[in-house]
Amino acid sequence: MRLAIVLPWLGSFVPTHLSFTCHSMIGGAKTATLLLMHEAANRVHIPEACQSRGNVRVEELKDGGIAALHAQRILEGIGSTSDTQGSLQRKLELLFKLAPASLSEFKPAWGWVFSQYLHQFSHWTYTDADVIFGRLDD
């Protein structure tokens, strides 16, 4: 079993306590990987603990990439044409820019939205930036 723990991040401020979340992944080195998704323009500083931990994967998406993935998967789900993707993507980009916390409303769909990053995992879940993990390997 291999677990992916998905954490997309929006906004120009990466909280310093994210380093504790990343460091706590040491207790899941054998079974879990934290997938930290962020957009290039929004990154100020990714904590060293997130960059150096073997089971923390930092995925830098292009600007607007998180909104683009959500728009693509939503439109695929309803069978819509790609002509409307740009419009939906722009609306999601605006939403995520004005209210980054609104991204959390999509948590139940993240396994589907980020599926291209999850192929090597048998299970997935999501987390918040202020969660400290314990002994995930036990």
Side-chain angles (χ1 to χ4, degrees):
M1 178 187 94
R2 190 75 189 166
L3 172 67
I5 304 171
V6 179
L7 177 57
W9 189 259
L10 293 170
S12 59
F13 174 72
V14 176
T16 55
H17 63 264
L18 180 61
S19 63
F20 295 111
T21 301
C22 292
H23 183 73
S24 73
M25 289 299 296
I26 197 167
K30 296 177 186 173
T31 58
T33 299
L34 177 66
L35 299 178
L36 176 60
M37 316 287 206
H38 71 96
E39 296 177 351
N42 291 330
R43 184 190 63 188
V44 173
H45 174 71
I46 302 296
E48 178 62 30
C50 299
Q51 297 178 38
S52 62
R53 182 83 39 228
N55 62 330
V56 176
R57 203 165 84 198
V58 179
E59 294 287 344
E60 187 171 286
L61 305 175
K62 64 180 180 157
D63 298 341
I66 290 176
L69 284 172
H70 281 77
Q72 174 188 352
R73 298 303 281 177
I74 289 168
L75 293 173
E76 284 175 10
I78 63 172
S80 185
T81 64
S82 61
D83 296 340
T84 57
Q85 182 171 347
S87 175
L88 178 59
Q89 181 177 336
R90 284 188 298 280
K91 290 175 183 174
L92 286 172
E93 285 178 19
L94 180 61
L95 173 66
F96 294 159
K97 181 180 180 181
L98 295 175
S102 65
L103 179 62
S104 67
E105 299 299 325
F106 295 90
K107 281 181 178 179
W110 285 351
W112 184 50
V113 170
F114 297 111
S115 62
Q116 68 191 63
Y117 299 96
L118 301 174
H119 293 293
Q120 71 189 70
F121 301 97
S122 59
H123 299 77
W124 74 272
T125 189
Y126 52 79
T127 192
D128 292 316
D130 58 354
V131 172
I132 303 298
F133 296 99
R135 297 179 182 167
L136 298 174
D137 289 341
D138 288 350

